[in-house]
Amino acid sequence: QITFGSIFLGKVPVHEEVHGCAGQIYGYKGCIRDFQVNHKELFIIDEALEGRNVENCNVPICDYHPCHNGGTCTSDEENWYCECPKLYTGKLCQFATCDENPCGNGATCFPKSRRDAVCLCPYGRSGILCSDAINITQPSFSGTDVFGYTSFLAYSTVPNITFYYEFRLKFQLANHHSALQDNLIFFTGQKGQGLNGDDFLELGLHNGRVVYSYNLGSGTATIISKPLDLTLNVHVIHLGRNLQKGWLKVDDQKNKTVTSPGRLVGLNVFSQFYLGGYREYTPELLPKGPRFKNSFQGCIFEVQVRTSLNQGFKSPGTPEGHPNSGRSVGQCKDSPCSLIKCRNGGKCIETGSTVYCDCLTGWKGAFCTETVSVCEPEHDPPHLCQQGSTCVPLPNGYTCHCPLGTTGTYCEQG
């Protein structure tokens, strides 16, 4: 309780309580921060004549978990602030680069930093913001990018492959090292639940060899080719299955065959036909089998399929040859970096049709044309302002504007 002459704040003193009122008189329990009388602000502590049982207000604001996006709340008796995880900013860690998505045409936005975003382009689009239309006749896949996403194309379900199918395709490796990776070429099947009975059909590269696997529900059949002849510029694959028996032919290597275990003879798959990679962020949802970790690195073209000996080969998709969707797929031998000029020492990075500038320290923006302020999180070294203080840039350095209850050069003192 605090008394201001005849003004009482909190509770009337016992010897001055007003009697005759109905019920018992209770004092106020809580915090009072500001007090104003006739437009005049009274300083609650400094101008008080006397008081009793008054403590400094300590609202445990962190008990209400005010910080968003995994921010950590820190408080003392006077102040609180949020320590934000990477890629988030704001008093409550409520702002992320992709909240106001700059990407167009259905691109996937990924925050490269607290200020800059990368647009992972959908099929048929390229450029910094995926605003440029591109014609793709020979798809180019970029593997798994630094953000953990794979490039892929998704076609409608291939019909009538239950008992018989044949596939033909050609591919060109991005480089010899890409042949030694664990890369998916195509996949169709049931989403994996870690069960051996998940039907699937899968083709990929593992340690420089082509791996062809399928499961009809009673066990996986796998054919592994001999090592690829890396002197060849283009590789040719022809594979098929008739009931339980499958076969694979790679380049000029001899035809190899396998028979699936168990008695089941039909392949029951309902998913889309994925080429070059998989939509999911990671391949753990693929059925048990090789579970290729990365998408393909290079070009895949002239993909054709038939489901009967009496019909001709045709391209997957509805209409024929048209995918339903895709991500970070470019045109083979075309470089989107040829149209992008990064400034101030920035390096152009391309992953399929996705392209962005990787800026040197001190620069930011789509083309590395903006300087990083000494007060921004990306600045190296970071500023030293503490305890929720505000960093203000100066012509020669910066200063820290301290919140109430803190002082010092960096607001480090209570």
Side-chain angles (χ1 to χ4, degrees), residues 11 15 29 75 79 86 88 93 105 120 146 161 168 174 203 205 208 217 259 303-304 309 325 331 344 379 389 404 412:
K11 185 179 185 295
H15 65 277
K29 184 177 181 180
S75 67
N79 302 291
K86 186 178 180 181
Y88 290 98
C93 307
N105 300 295
L120 309 181
V146 295
I161 63 172
R168 297 190 308 200
L203 180 70
L205 281 178
T259 300
V303 180
Q304 295 184 314
L309 283 170
S325 62
Q331 169 68 2
N344 299 302
H379 191 270
S389 59
L404 184 67
E412 74 277 11

Side-chain angles (χ1 to χ4, degrees), residues 5 41 95 102 120 125 147 150 156 211 221 246 303 312 348 355 359 402 405:
E41 181 180 4
F95 300 122
L120 309 181
R125 291 286 172 174
F147 310 110
T150 60
S156 56
V211 181
V303 180
C348 183
V355 60
C359 303
C402 301

Side-chain angles (χ1 to χ4, degrees), residues 9 14 19 44 51 73 79 111 119 124 198 222 310 365 414:
L9 196 62
V14 174
H19 298 283
I44 297 177
C73 184
N79 302 291
C119 301
D198 292 322
T222 300
N310 300 323

Side-chain angles (χ1 to χ4, degrees), residues 103-109 118-132 134 152 326-329 351-355:
C103 307
N105 300 295
T108 301
C109 180
V118 171
C119 301
L120 309 181
C121 295
Y123 174 74
R125 291 286 172 174
S126 185
I128 292 286
L129 300 179
C130 304
S131 55
D132 303 328
I134 57 172
F152 74 92
R327 179 176 58 220
S328 297
V329 175
T351 56
S353 61
T354 294
V355 60

Side-chain angles (χ1 to χ4, degrees), residues 69 89 100 114 166 250 282 290 301 313 328 386:
N69 299 305
T89 187
E100 296 181 4
R114 297 184 190 220
E166 282 185 74
V250 177
T282 56
F301 45 94
F313 283 90
S328 297
Q386 300 179 21

Side-chain angles (χ1 to χ4, degrees), residues 178-407:
S178 65
L180 303 178
Q181 302 300 303
D182 198 17
N183 298 338
L184 183 69
I185 297 177
F186 71 61
F187 165 82
T188 183
Q190 301 170 7
K191 260 194 176 181
Q193 305 296 330
L195 304 175
N196 287 327
D198 292 322
D199 289 23
F200 70 86
L201 164 63
E202 193 171 42
L203 180 70
L205 281 178
H206 182 69
N207 290 333
R209 301 170 183 260
V210 176
V211 181
Y212 162 42
S213 297
Y214 59 91
N215 191 331
L216 307 181
S218 55
T220 300
T222 300
I223 302 176
I224 302 176
S225 75
K226 292 181 179 180
L228 291 172
D229 180 357
L230 298 181
T231 64
L232 297 175
N233 186 41
V234 176
H235 299 275
V236 180
I237 294 180
H238 192 184
L239 63 86
R241 180 187 63 86
N242 183 23
L243 302 178
Q244 291 178 291
K245 186 175 180 179
W247 51 271
L248 169 70
K249 181 171 175 54
V250 177
D251 296 329
D252 293 330
Q253 297 180 17
K254 290 185 178 180
N255 189 63
K256 300 184 74 170
T257 62
V258 70
T259 300
S260 62
R263 297 183 178 181
L264 298 179
V265 297
L267 177 69
N268 299 304
V269 294
F270 311 103
S271 77
Q272 297 183 97
F273 178 77
Y274 292 94
L275 185 68
Y278 193 51
R279 180 187 299 276
E280 304 294 342
Y281 190 72
T282 56
E284 270 63 34
L285 290 177
L286 292 173
K288 280 192 171 181
R291 279 190 177 171
F292 298 100
K293 296 178 181 178
N294 304 302
S295 70
F296 189 77
Q297 297 178 14
C299 303
I300 304 175
F301 45 94
E302 296 183 24
V303 180
Q304 295 184 314
V305 59
R306 69 176 180 180
T307 55
S308 170
L309 283 170
N310 300 323
Q311 65 179 209
F313 283 90
K314 65 178 184 178
S315 300
T318 306
E320 182 181 348
H322 290 264
N324 295 336
S325 62
R327 179 176 58 220
S328 297
V329 175
Q331 169 68 2
C332 191
K333 299 181 181 179
D334 281 357
S335 170
C337 278
S338 63
L339 304 176
I340 300 298
K341 188 172 183 179
C342 304
R343 307 288 182 174
N344 299 302
K347 181 181 179 182
C348 183
I349 305 295
E350 59 180 71
T351 56
S353 61
T354 294
V355 60
Y356 64 94
C357 291
D358 188 20
C359 303
L360 292 178
T361 301
W363 296 95
K364 65 176 183 176
F367 299 98
C368 306
T369 55
E370 306 169 43
T371 57
V372 177
S373 164
V374 68
C375 287
E376 292 186 82
E378 294 86 2
H379 191 270
D380 187 16
H383 67 79
L384 300 177
C385 298
Q386 300 179 21
Q387 303 193 68
S389 59
T390 302
C391 177
V392 179
L394 299 175
N396 296 308
Y398 63 94
T399 186
C400 302
H401 283 189
C402 301
L404 184 67
T406 65
T407 187

